[in-house]
Amino acid sequence: MIQAFGLTSNPRKELPPAVDDVSFEARAGRVTALLGVSGAGKTTALRLMLELQRGRGLTYFRGRPLHRIAHPAREVGVLLGDVPGHPARTVRGHLRMLCAAAGVPVRRADEVLESAGLESLRDERLGALSRGMDRRLGLACALVPDPHTLVCDDPAGALSAQDARWLHGALRAHAAQGGTVLFSTADPKEAARNADHVVTLEKGRIVADQEAVEFSRTRLRPRVAVRTPHAARLAALVTKEARTARRSVEVVPEGGNRLAVYGSTCADIGETAFRNGILVHQLADEVGDMGPGAGAVPAARNQERGEADGDRAQVAGAQAAGAPIPPRPASSGAPQHPQADLRQAPATEGGADTTASGTVRHRTPGPRRALAPDGVAHSAAEGPGAAEGPGPGSGDAPDALDASDASRQRASRPFGARLSGSASAVRAAAVTLPPPISVRSAPSPLRPLRYELRRALGVGTGFVVGAVVLLVSAVTAVILARIGHTPQARLLAAWPQQVPLPPAALGAGLLGALAFGDEFRHPALAADRGTVPRRMGLLTAKLVVSAATALLLAALTVGCDTEVLRLFYGSELAQAPADWPALSAGWLGLVVGCAWSGVLAAGVFRSTSAGLAAVVAVPVVVVPLVQKVWQGPSVRTAAGFPMRVREILLTQWPFGGERYVAEALRLVAQPVGGAMTLSLTTLLCAYLLTTLRSRVR
């Protein structure tokens, strides 16, 4: 259950707030629609509820605000647009990465793939998905942690009718299992078809809070839809009779042989057609606003199934002979008027019986049914590929489900299954959702590490950067050896004197910056850009993985340069220096420090470019400053530190530890080492400060 109290956005300069004192409820087991035109404040209200935007007000999800929930993804699944994933990542790899982050078994990825109908696209790249498949994947991502609540912002926007049917069927199936569903839309017909409760926003304020049936009756415009080959003649007769009876009737031609009559009834129009011998193909009550393209007749309407050939011949023969038209049998499902060939149009969109203009037929409260040509009443959602589920106002959707009933249903009842006509006629579910998660993994420090490994290995960026670094390093080493006058240590590292950092250090810094930069560019863990969770476990995992990647890159670079130099110039240039332990420690420390600088800077500034700039700024800006301070006459050095520690503790360093401590202090005392240490300390403090600040907000 969602309870929103007094949601108010911060005002924008002289403009009024986009959302002003919005309060409503979305109950469990029901689908709630947040309706409003563009600019009414729907998206802002959802962002305030999800704490993605500053403002005032409170929102409780089953009695707790979102920031008080230990695992928000397990409580609220969010779909606010396209899937925020790296376009080069595969569909299955993206879901497996989310499974690692949520701490659920990896098989959950295959379960949600199957439920979303994406089995054939599991190896497809995210950037190659169509909009409909992208929305399916977005809903599958939201369902990975098995949340109780689904919050969607215009989920069916710009989708085809089939994809919209599937998506709303999935939302209905989730609500049928006791979950809470809240979606926003600008289409009142969509809200009337697919929601149980409709909350209408206008200029940031609530103007209506109604059940779907009441909304259809009061907020939408009722009319009578007529389709006849004699549309112009019937329109003139209806207008003439209304003028004679002094009634207010408006007849609007909608193109072709279709009329929309406002202020009249099916009975009055049918009697007019009967008295004047006019053949009528359709006569039905409708509700819905006259939006763009309301008069267009879809191709499916032109191909709708009509009466049997014998009925057509019988009606045509009766008209030619001047005899009364025989009434149609009651089993046909048409309105029983003695001289009107009337039939109901089949459902063209899932979850509602629609007309040619896409509007929703007004029904009395109760389960919605569409009459098939065989005369059997079926659910209005039972079209090709339509989603099964209880419609608004039907008795199949419970107002509230307790935890025990919900758990029993989630364990036994197929998602989307409902009764059609009788309890013995249960149709197969058109939309199936993944089964509930019975056992969740315990909190483990390996969970963010698994996520980071899947994130880094799921795309080829790291492999491309590593290959480029090795190639540039090898070419640079060959050129430096050809020119000469380059020390052996710098030659093996492919580090010219004129370049502030070697290619390996720049590559490690770039990979480190991508570790956080991709999170903000493609925020797979967040509902919105810029809201990446700032957890210390996630930071530690990124530091560990980036350090391992940097060490591997540094070792491969030196090994590749050594082999290339041996191949081109012989073994004399490929020999290891005499002080290789100290040089190796300094080399590895430099590369790891660059990687960590990239990670922390990208996490602080939320940009890959900023992370790489911070890496380059260390030797270009920080090192000269450290050199200037370090060479001052009043600065004391740490020489003899191991000896003094041994004298104080009156003990020997184990395994010759004083030598390693001395080497580490010597590296820190160098300008580059000191600058790197200072930069890492500053960036870590900035990251912790921004983390605490975001938690306070």
Side-chain angles (χ1 to χ4, degrees), residues 133-164:
M133 295 299 103
D134 185 87
R135 288 299 175 89
R136 287 185 181 229
L137 178 60
L139 187 58
C141 294
L143 292 174
V144 163
D146 192 20
H148 175 270
T149 303
L150 289 179
V151 177
C152 308
D153 185 17
D154 194 16
L159 293 185
S160 64
Q162 181 179 1
D163 291 331

Side-chain angles (χ1 to χ4, degrees), residues 29-35 154-157 159-176 180-199 210-213 215-216 220 348-354 358-361 368 379-382 385-394 397 418 431:
R30 294 163 63 86
V31 179
T32 303
L34 195 61
L35 175 65
D154 194 16
L159 293 185
S160 64
Q162 181 179 1
D163 291 331
R165 281 196 300 268
W166 180 90
L167 195 143
H168 281 295
L171 298 181
R172 170 64 60 186
H174 185 79
T180 305
V181 176
L182 173 65
F183 74 93
S184 67
T185 179
D187 186 2
K189 298 182 289 294
E190 180 183 359
R193 283 194 301 265
N194 303 292
D196 302 310
H197 194 84
V198 181
V199 179
Q210 304 165 295
E211 294 295 319
V213 175
F215 168 79
S216 299
L220 298 183
T348 58
E349 294 193 26
D353 187 13
T354 59
T359 54
V360 185
R361 286 188 180 153
R368 296 181 295 177
S379 168
E382 296 171 5
E388 304 292 337
S394 66
R418 61 167 296 175
V431 177

Side-chain angles (χ1 to χ4, degrees), residues 280-283 307 327-338 340-345 361 371-373 375:
V280 177
H281 289 167
Q282 178 193 7
L283 187 63
E307 292 76 17
R328 297 177 58 199
S331 61
S332 64
Q336 298 304 309
H337 192 280
D341 181 14
L342 310 176
R343 65 187 176 199
Q344 293 187 350
R361 286 188 180 153
L371 294 179

Side-chain angles (χ1 to χ4, degrees), residues 456-549:
L457 299 177
V459 295
T461 305
F463 301 100
V464 173
V465 171
V468 171
V469 166
L470 294 179
L471 179 61
V472 173
S473 298
V475 173
T476 304
V478 171
I479 295 176
L480 292 178
R482 177 71 177 176
I483 296 175
H485 309 292
T486 301
Q488 181 73 9
R490 282 185 170 266
L491 186 63
L492 294 178
W495 190 359
Q497 295 284 354
Q498 298 79 11
V499 179
L501 287 175
L506 288 174
L510 177 59
L511 292 178
L514 286 172
F516 253 128
D518 280 349
E519 295 285 5
F520 292 102
R521 188 178 180 185
H522 311 290
L525 292 182
D528 186 49
R529 193 179 306 279
T531 59
V532 176
R534 292 179 172 272
R535 303 190 185 98
M536 294 307 299
L538 182 62
L539 175 63
T540 304
K542 291 185 179 297
L543 292 177
V544 170
V545 173
S546 62
T549 304

Side-chain angles (χ1 to χ4, degrees), residues 390-447:
S394 66
D396 299 326
D399 291 344
L401 295 176
D402 56 23
S404 60
D405 292 339
S407 61
R408 282 195 299 268
Q409 286 186 358
R410 293 174 69 87
S412 61
R413 181 184 177 187
F415 280 83
R418 61 167 296 175
L419 297 177
S420 294
S422 64
S424 61
V426 179
R427 292 176 55 86
V431 177
T432 57
L433 297 183
I437 300 176
S438 57
V439 179
R440 295 182 183 271
S441 61
S444 169
L446 296 179
R447 181 187 302 173

